[in-house]
Amino acid sequence: AILVTFPSPSPFQGPTNRNENLSTRAVPMAGRALATLAVAACHGAVAAPAGTCGADESAMLQAVSALRGAASDHEGARAALAAGLISPGVLNGEAAQAAMVRLAHERKLERPEYSSEEVKLPWDLGVRPLASCRSKEARAQAPAADERQARLDSAADTYCDAGLGDFVEIYVDPAFAASHARLADKDGWLGEAFMTYYTATQPKQEVVGEEDLLLQSIHHFSERPIVVVNYGKRVPKSWTPERYPNMVLMHAKKSAAAPGLSFNMNKINCMLFTKIRTGLALDADQFANHGLDFMFERAAEESTKDYPYPILPVHWMSKDGESSDMPQHPPSWVWTWKDKSAPRQNQRWSHSHPTWTFYALPWMAKWTSYVLAPSKTNGPAWLKAQGFWSDEPLLNVAAWADNLQKQWCKYDLTGPGDFIFYLHQWNYSKIHPDSKYYPKGVAKVFFTAHAAKDPEDSYKWLSKLWDESDDERRLLIAYDGKWFGSGKALKAYDPSLKCII
């Protein structure tokens, strides 16, 4: 047996384990696994302190190829990862990353974990936030040359000027600092990443099970990282870099939940200050299917310098009192304004599972600051008069106010049961039609399920999707009684369709 210690290679301050000062692990090994770990430690694939390498390094090098760049020789590393002998959080390099992604993808679906425990929070451990309010001296300097940073600074300044500085501060959990350092660039930006957020207040809760299945599905069906932002003191024990190598746990210093404001306003705060270049926001009650990574490419193509806004998928109802779909629903579901000077609805209601790029940060910060600090900002009177706000209504009415037009086709299914149509490739006739915006119905894209509020039911549906052997023959887009294999094919079939994919 040998004792291997892993100090944090991250620039973040604080311990490497959320409840310990130093993460140490005694690991009995022999043969190839020992040689692989030793080579990795000596040659940069695993962060290791000076002096770790032994005198027999050359012999170990002869026994096993160095991990860096050896994409075809991962057996030893993958075996060590699978056995829990080394932490993926401290693996660096493309070869190690490929091994971790493949290992996570191959893992069997597990029952959802519902339990959590109280943890020490990063700001009590000396960890620095990803962003914070700038001093007057810093603001007086020339704008950042990096446009990502310049737009993040602009968003943070908007919040800080409104007295919202605590909302800006989001911290990487110390146990995931090495994962973040591996997945982010040198400036701390994640290139393409999912984002979700939650709060747990009890030792066992449904929302923890929901998030656990979301994490499993992302690791199985996606190659992109997922940021999980915690609002509270409780974190599941099972959320570790070993189990979820593409996860980065973060903690927000302050929640937006308050009288007149929904907890879900935190979604926009997380989009703003987690330093994600191109992102896709997912709720706890969602899980992913294969193909979802495609949305990152499309988000980057559609949310640009010339169109610096988030884009939301179309909702299953219009919420427009002038449309034919609303009489079947309760009258309270129709959007109504208290102030007649408010903007007129110019597109069907959108569901709040947005994509965004860094270009959208100033716009989101402006509108969100209006409702988080109405007395300190110059928001429109109609916005203040409306009263209670949540993320989805705010993003919709802000889009109407600025006459935004882009809307994704529905990639967030109305419930897990919708996947029965995908699995059997059954035809829909008209999907959620309305008389004003989508008379032939919307296009449904089977990337994610929403309203997955029963983790045991979600587990059953994910079990049906987990084996991807038949997915090559299945198409993902349903519209007007037909199935399509791409957004281009859908557009060619109906150029008048307003949603895009």
Side-chain angles (χ1 to χ4, degrees):
I2 60 172
L3 180 68
V4 182
T5 64
F6 298 111
S8 172
S10 160
F12 297 98
Q13 298 174 356
T16 59
N17 186 288
R18 65 170 70 98
N19 286 323
E20 299 175 13
N21 288 329
L22 185 65
S23 176
T24 61
R25 183 172 295 157
V27 285
M29 301 183 210
R32 182 181 177 88
L34 171 59
T36 300
L37 180 58
V39 170
C42 293
H43 290 274
V46 175
T52 297
C53 301
D56 56 345
E57 174 188 345
S58 60
M60 286 186 267
L61 278 170
Q62 293 175 2
V64 181
S65 299
L67 283 180
R68 285 191 300 178
S72 64
D73 188 18
H74 289 311
E75 290 84 357
R78 292 177 67 232
L81 281 166
L85 301 179
I86 55 177
S87 169
V90 293
L91 289 175
N92 303 315
E94 293 181 4
Q97 172 70 10
M100 285 181 288
V101 169
R102 188 160 66 246
L103 180 68
H105 178 81
E106 293 171 357
R107 184 175 290 125
K108 293 181 179 180
L109 178 65
E110 298 174 1
R111 288 280 177 182
E113 173 61 53
Y114 297 91
S115 60
S116 63
E117 63 178 355
E118 288 196 2
V119 299
K120 295 178 181 178
L121 296 173
W123 46 88
D124 294 327
L125 299 170
V127 177
R128 298 188 298 271
L130 292 171
S132 59
C133 293
R134 299 190 298 163
S135 66
K136 292 182 179 179
E137 292 76 16
R139 292 197 192 194
Q141 296 175 1
D146 183 338
E147 191 166 8
R148 299 171 308 176
Q149 189 62 45
R151 290 184 180 251
L152 175 61
D153 288 343
S154 173
D157 290 349
T158 296
Y159 265 49
C160 296
D161 289 345
L164 301 171
D166 283 348
F167 291 105
V168 175
E169 296 189 8
I170 295 179
Y171 301 73
V172 175
D173 186 288
F176 288 82
S179 295
H180 184 260
R182 169 175 53 82
L183 295 166
D185 65 18
K186 62 180 179 62
D187 297 315
W189 284 84
L190 293 163
E192 297 175 343
F194 301 100
M195 185 282 298
T196 185
Y197 61 106
Y198 80 103
T199 184
T201 58
Q202 303 296 326
K204 287 191 175 182
Q205 280 183 271
E206 293 279 296
V207 67
V208 174
E210 294 171 17
E211 287 281 18
D212 191 63
L213 289 175
L214 172 60
L215 288 168
Q216 289 191 60
S217 68
I218 290 295
H219 277 75
H220 182 69
F221 291 115
S222 171
E223 295 184 359
R224 301 301 189 273
I226 179 167
V227 170
V228 183
V229 184
N230 171 42
Y231 284 85
K233 296 181 179 180
R234 305 193 69 88
V235 173
K237 284 185 178 180
S238 60
W239 290 5
T240 66
E242 289 79 10
R243 188 183 184 207
Y244 293 130
N246 269 5
M247 170 186 174
V248 178
L249 178 64
M250 299 186 185
H251 301 269
K253 192 170 187 180
K254 185 174 182 179
S255 173
L261 293 171
S262 165
F263 172 78
N264 291 319
M265 285 298 301
N266 290 312
K267 179 187 299 179
I268 307 177
N269 291 339
C270 294
M271 293 165 65
L272 284 167
F273 301 118
T274 48
K275 295 186 75 171
I276 296 172
R277 187 191 71 207
T278 303
L280 196 161
L282 298 170
D283 289 338
D285 63 338
Q286 286 184 264
F287 62 76
N289 187 24
H290 84 98
L292 185 56
D293 284 358
F294 170 73
M295 292 307 303
F296 290 107
E297 176 183 348
R298 293 294 291 118
E301 291 172 345
E302 298 291 344
S303 290
T304 63
K305 190 173 185 177
D306 294 327
Y307 192 88
Y309 312 107
I311 304 176
L312 283 63
V314 63
H315 203 283
W316 52 265
M317 63 176 170
S318 70
K319 291 183 74 71
D320 189 331
E322 298 177 356
S323 183
S324 62
D325 65 313
M326 294 313 296
Q328 62 184 304
H329 301 302
S332 61
W333 289 13
V334 174
W335 182 261
T336 55
W337 284 112
K338 294 181 179 180
D339 188 324
K340 293 183 180 180
S341 68
R344 182 176 175 82
Q345 184 170 348
N346 69 346
Q347 61 178 358
R348 182 165 166 152
W349 193 262
S350 296
H351 225 142
S352 187
H353 304 126
T355 64
W356 78 97
T357 67
F358 65 91
Y359 288 112
L361 300 184
W363 184 86
M364 292 192 293
K366 178 186 72 173
W367 282 100
T368 309
S369 70
Y370 288 163
V371 299
L372 292 181
S375 64
K376 297 182 179 180
T377 53
N378 295 318
W382 51 262
L383 195 72
K384 296 178 181 178
Q386 195 68 15
F388 182 84
W389 284 105
S390 186
D391 60 312
E392 187 169 289
L394 177 63
L395 290 172
N396 272 273
V397 303
W400 305 344
D402 288 335
N403 197 31
L404 306 188
Q405 301 293 327
K406 293 185 180 182
Q407 195 170 48
W408 295 121
C409 295
K410 190 156 189 60
Y411 59 69
D412 49 346
L413 308 183
T414 51
D418 286 5
F419 272 113
I420 191 69
F421 289 89
Y422 165 76
L423 290 169
H424 295 283
Q425 295 284 279
W426 292 342
N427 287 332
Y428 283 90
S429 53
K430 289 186 176 181
I431 304 171
H432 311 308
D434 69 74
S435 59
K436 192 170 182 180
Y437 307 102
Y438 292 91
K440 295 173 67 174
V442 302
K444 187 172 284 189
V445 188
F446 287 76
F447 283 162
T448 73
H450 185 222
K453 296 184 182 298
D454 181 349
E456 297 303 322
D457 182 62
S458 297
Y459 175 82
K460 293 176 183 177
W461 283 105
L462 277 170
S463 297
K464 300 176 187 293
L465 297 168
W466 213 252
D467 181 3
E468 299 177 87
S469 60
D470 289 335
D471 280 336
E472 289 185 2
R473 66 177 179 82
R474 294 191 182 112
L475 303 179
L476 283 157
I477 305 172
Y479 174 66
D480 195 30
K482 297 177 175 59
W483 288 86
F484 301 88
S486 69
K488 291 182 179 179
L490 174 66
K491 190 68 174 177
Y493 173 75
D494 187 355
S496 69
L497 182 65
K498 293 182 178 180
C499 68
I500 58 176
I501 198 69

